Amino acid sequence: MNCSRPGRFYGKANETLFLNGIILNDSDYVCDFVDWHYHENAYFSFLLAGSSLDGNRKTTHECAAGSLLFQNWQDPHYNVKSKLYTRGFHVELKPSWFASFDMPANLVEGSMRITDPSLTTLMYNVFKEMKLYNGESQLAIDALLVQLFDGLSQESRSGETLKPAWVNVIREALHAAPDQWKLIELAKLANVHPVHLSRYFPKYFKATLGDYNRMIKVNKALSLLPNKHMSLTKIAAECGFADQSHFIRSFKSCHGLTPLQYRKLLLKQEPC
């Protein structure tokens, strides 16, 4: 079985950035099929455009734009690319990076798909910092990745405790249609009182109900930004924002850039 050495990813590299203990890579996927392989270091794979299938010994992930996977170094997997233009962002982490922050390299074990919008928001910001790279960007990237691993470890620990049934009901409802719910309707769906839902939502989702819902909509918008045929007005409507100004304010609060500025970063290396 092939082992991918540090900095080697299967595709046509648009940009690769080597930092202390971190390798950041933005690539177009050009191989229809990549046979079983594993990576020498732990890494994140984040789909920016298109779609692909990622399979390992336990499960298969059908990934679309905005899908975030974590692969531990010892876990073999294979990839199948769709016929669409597909582009991925990869963050490879050496053991020295974990050691520098006194974190065990096996802090998060196995391979997993990450769906928490607060964590995918962090990865979009890592991508932004790479594209805006300057001599001080390592500080920002390190901080974002430490925060991401802290969120993953909290999620792993919370998974060991029994969550109320309403948590999954609310999560599925919001991810399916974040723009269609009112508090009273969500509470009825989950069979809990609105006060109870508002009070305990942050305990299980690490954000207020309003912030969590906003992140879902912004992340959906980010997955649509690479589509050059969709106007920002259409994306705002598609993602459930009341108007363009609301879309811009919400987006900027998450990423510090306007949707147009972020779209320019995303399209920087795309084919014409």
Side-chain angles (χ1 to χ4, degrees), residues 3-16:
C3 173
S4 291
R5 300 302 176 188
R8 184 194 171 199
F9 293 93
Y10 297 93
K12 176 181 175 292
N14 296 315
E15 183 179 1
T16 303

Side-chain angles (χ1 to χ4, degrees), residues 169-199:
V169 172
I170 293 295
R171 179 181 289 111
E172 290 176 7
L174 290 176
H175 279 265
D179 58 320
Q180 294 182 10
W181 296 101
K182 296 179 180 178
L183 178 61
I184 189 67
E185 294 169 343
L186 278 174
K188 285 180 180 178
L189 179 69
N191 197 28
V192 295
H193 194 279
V195 173
H196 181 88
L197 175 58
S198 300
R199 179 180 298 162

Side-chain angles (χ1 to χ4, degrees), residues 135-146:
E136 299 178 355
S137 294
Q138 171 111 29
L139 174 64
I141 290 170
D142 281 341
L144 288 165
L145 290 173
V146 168

Side-chain angles (χ1 to χ4, degrees), residues 71-248:
Q71 308 276 7
N72 227 324
W73 65 269
Q74 76 275 23
D75 293 316
H77 66 123
Y78 65 91
N79 303 102
V80 181
K81 186 183 86 69
S82 74
K83 296 185 182 301
L84 302 171
Y85 167 71
T86 303
R87 178 183 173 196
F89 176 55
H90 313 96
V91 179
E92 183 176 355
L93 299 161
K94 300 178 182 179
S96 60
W97 183 85
F98 290 95
S100 66
F101 295 102
D102 198 25
M103 293 193 301
N106 63 347
L107 179 67
V108 179
E109 296 182 337
S111 300
M112 67 175 70
R113 183 169 188 165
I114 302 164
T115 59
D116 185 331
S118 66
L119 301 182
T120 51
T121 295
L122 291 173
M123 186 54 70
Y124 271 117
N125 281 330
V126 173
F127 174 80
K128 178 193 74 173
E129 291 295 335
M130 176 192 181
K131 294 302 175 183
L132 299 176
Y133 179 73
N134 59 49
E136 299 178 355
S137 294
Q138 171 111 29
L139 174 64
I141 290 170
D142 281 341
L144 288 165
L145 290 173
V146 168
Q147 190 178 350
L148 205 163
F149 273 106
D150 180 59
L152 284 179
S153 62
Q154 286 184 36
E155 194 172 83
S156 178
R157 290 194 301 270
S158 66
E160 298 171 0
T161 60
L162 188 63
K163 294 180 182 178
W166 63 262
V167 172
N168 285 334
V169 172
I170 293 295
R171 179 181 289 111
E172 290 176 7
L174 290 176
H175 279 265
D179 58 320
Q180 294 182 10
W181 296 101
K182 296 179 180 178
L183 178 61
I184 189 67
E185 294 169 343
L186 278 174
K188 285 180 180 178
L189 179 69
N191 197 28
V192 295
H193 194 279
V195 173
H196 181 88
L197 175 58
S198 300
R199 179 180 298 162
Y200 289 99
F201 187 94
K203 176 180 178 181
Y204 298 104
F205 292 88
K206 304 188 295 293
T208 66
L209 178 53
D211 285 344
Y212 189 87
N213 201 47
R214 189 176 301 109
M215 283 187 288
I216 292 174
K217 295 196 289 186
V218 167
N219 284 343
K220 182 179 179 181
L222 277 161
S223 72
L224 298 175
L225 284 180
N227 185 344
K228 291 172 281 191
H229 302 294
M230 287 190 75
S231 68
L232 294 179
T233 301
K234 187 173 182 180
I235 290 175
E238 180 78 16
C239 298
F241 291 99
D243 51 44
Q244 186 78 352
S245 62
H246 182 213
F247 176 37
I248 293 171

